[in-house]
Amino acid sequence: MNIIIVAKPHAVPQTIDLGCWRTRLKCGAILGCAALACALLGVSVAYSVAGPKTRTLAEVRELREQSEARLRELEQVKASTQRDLDALAVKLGALQAHATRLNALGERLTRAGKLDDGEFSFSEAPAVGGPEEPQAMVVHTAAPQLTDSIDELHQRFVRQQAQLEVLENLLLDRKIDSDLLPSGMPVNTGYISSYFGGRPDPFNGAGAFHSGIDFDANTGADIHSVAEGVVTWSGTRPGYGNVVEVDHGNGYMTRYAHNSQNLAMVGQRVRVGEVIAKVGSTGRSTGSHVHFEVWLNGKAVNPIAYVRSQRKA
């Protein structure tokens, strides 16, 4: 292919032979230079348009967006913190109400029991102590841990209030016959291995509620009734193993579980201290012990006040 160029009339035309490799090389070089010039021109124009001022504005815009995002996060944290503070305020108000009731009840018990001045004071904080921990070992309590601590304290207040109400019943003797009121331990020897209330489940470690008190004792040791009453159950229950239940009247019932052997029969009248079963490890149990419950008006209550009480002669 040839390209003929006529610059002027009657002038000798110029011929470009595209079949020659030199000609094609020259044309490619010319086109490459033109493309490079266009690219340089575009870069120059872009640089002039997006100069330092434009880049600075872009950076400012990006920083502003980041600042707005952080501000939104702070607002969310503030709202969540405010909800936590409101919840804590409600819990603290409930604890203060419990403390007021406990103080009033404690003063009545002190007067009813004729305790010596200063022997049992509800107005003073108990003395505490312990070695000082190194500063490096101090761990600041997080908000969830603080909430859990307040919940635990609330449960302790509730349990203490129930115990004090039981003590009030014992001290004021509200027409309940001494022999019909649960009192003392269900075993002659042994120690308390688990208390009433929340605890880790002994099998899976999950949080669980323990509805009685466990007394560690040897297998075959005597289990005796802590009050006079009538046996209403002598058999097995799921999780409890062998169980004996005694109805004492006035809304009281006691339960003795995990027995190796039940001796009392349903309908049998039992006296205070009478042997009704033998210590064992039946049911959901990790070892030889007796699980002891006290029920009042159809609800399990903390047995500790009854266990520590002394029966009148």
Side-chain angles (χ1 to χ4, degrees):
M1 177 183 293
N2 295 328
I3 298 176
I4 301 173
I5 301 174
V6 179
K8 298 178 180 180
H10 309 291
V12 178
Q14 300 292 328
T15 302
I16 300 175
D17 185 8
L18 295 179
C20 179
W21 67 271
R22 288 191 179 91
T23 303
R24 290 198 301 270
L25 181 62
K26 290 179 181 179
C27 291
I30 293 172
L31 292 175
C33 292
L36 179 62
C38 290
L40 292 176
L41 180 61
V43 170
S44 177
V45 172
Y47 183 79
S48 62
V49 172
K53 182 177 180 180
T54 304
R55 292 196 301 273
T56 302
L57 290 175
E59 292 176 356
V60 170
R61 189 179 299 108
E62 182 180 0
L63 290 175
R64 187 176 62 188
E65 292 176 354
Q66 294 178 358
S67 176
E68 291 176 353
R70 300 292 87 79
L71 182 60
R72 288 192 296 269
E73 292 179 0
L74 287 176
E75 291 294 335
Q76 294 175 356
V77 171
K78 180 180 178 181
S80 176
T81 303
Q82 186 61 47
R83 288 194 298 269
D84 292 339
L85 290 176
D86 293 341
L88 290 177
V90 172
K91 291 180 181 295
L92 287 176
L95 290 178
Q96 291 173 352
H98 276 295
T100 302
R101 287 194 292 268
L102 287 175
N103 288 338
L105 181 57
E107 292 175 359
R108 287 208 314 272
L109 291 175
T110 301
R111 291 193 299 268
K114 299 180 180 180
L115 300 177
D116 295 336
D117 291 340
E119 180 180 353
F120 194 77
S121 176
F122 282 84
S123 60
E124 298 179 1
V128 296
E132 183 179 1
E133 296 290 341
Q135 290 297 322
M137 298 298 293
V138 175
V139 179
H140 295 286
T141 303
Q145 295 174 332
L146 179 60
T147 303
D148 293 341
S149 298
I150 292 178
D151 289 336
E152 181 182 357
L153 182 59
H154 177 269
Q155 293 300 324
R156 288 179 58 187
F157 268 121
V158 172
R159 290 195 296 268
Q160 290 174 358
Q161 184 176 8
Q163 294 173 17
L164 288 173
E165 288 175 353
V166 172
L167 290 175
E168 184 180 31
N169 289 337
L170 296 175
L171 289 172
L172 300 179
D173 190 11
R174 295 182 174 178
K175 298 181 181 179
I176 298 178
D177 186 81
S178 179
D179 287 342
L180 296 177
L181 185 67
S183 180
M185 294 172 52
V187 288
N188 293 325
T189 59
Y191 61 91
I192 298 177
S193 56
S194 183
Y195 285 88
F196 178 89
R199 67 170 186 178
D201 188 279
F203 287 91
N204 55 33
F209 181 79
H210 192 223
S211 58
I213 290 179
D214 291 342
F215 293 90
D216 188 284
N218 295 327
T219 301
D222 292 339
I223 300 176
H224 56 78
S225 177
V226 297
E228 184 176 338
V230 177
V231 177
T232 56
W233 180 270
S234 180
T236 61
R237 289 191 182 278
Y240 285 97
N242 293 327
V243 178
V244 173
E245 296 177 357
V246 180
D247 187 348
H248 306 285
N250 297 295
Y252 281 98
M253 186 272 287
T254 54
R255 176 178 292 164
Y256 313 79
H258 303 304
N259 312 328
S260 62
Q261 182 182 5
N262 292 344
L263 301 179
M265 305 296 293
V266 174
Q268 177 181 340
R269 182 178 179 181
V270 294
R271 304 289 183 180
V272 177
E274 184 173 345
V275 177
I276 57 176
K278 296 289 185 179
V279 175
S281 184
T282 58
R284 195 169 184 266
S285 170
T286 60
S288 178
H289 72 286
V290 56
H291 174 83
F292 176 63
E293 295 181 6
V294 175
W295 288 65
L296 178 59
N297 297 325
K299 181 180 179 181
V301 297
N302 194 339
I304 191 64
Y306 301 94
V307 169
R308 292 176 177 173
S309 66
Q310 299 294 325
R311 190 176 306 279
K312 296 180 180 180

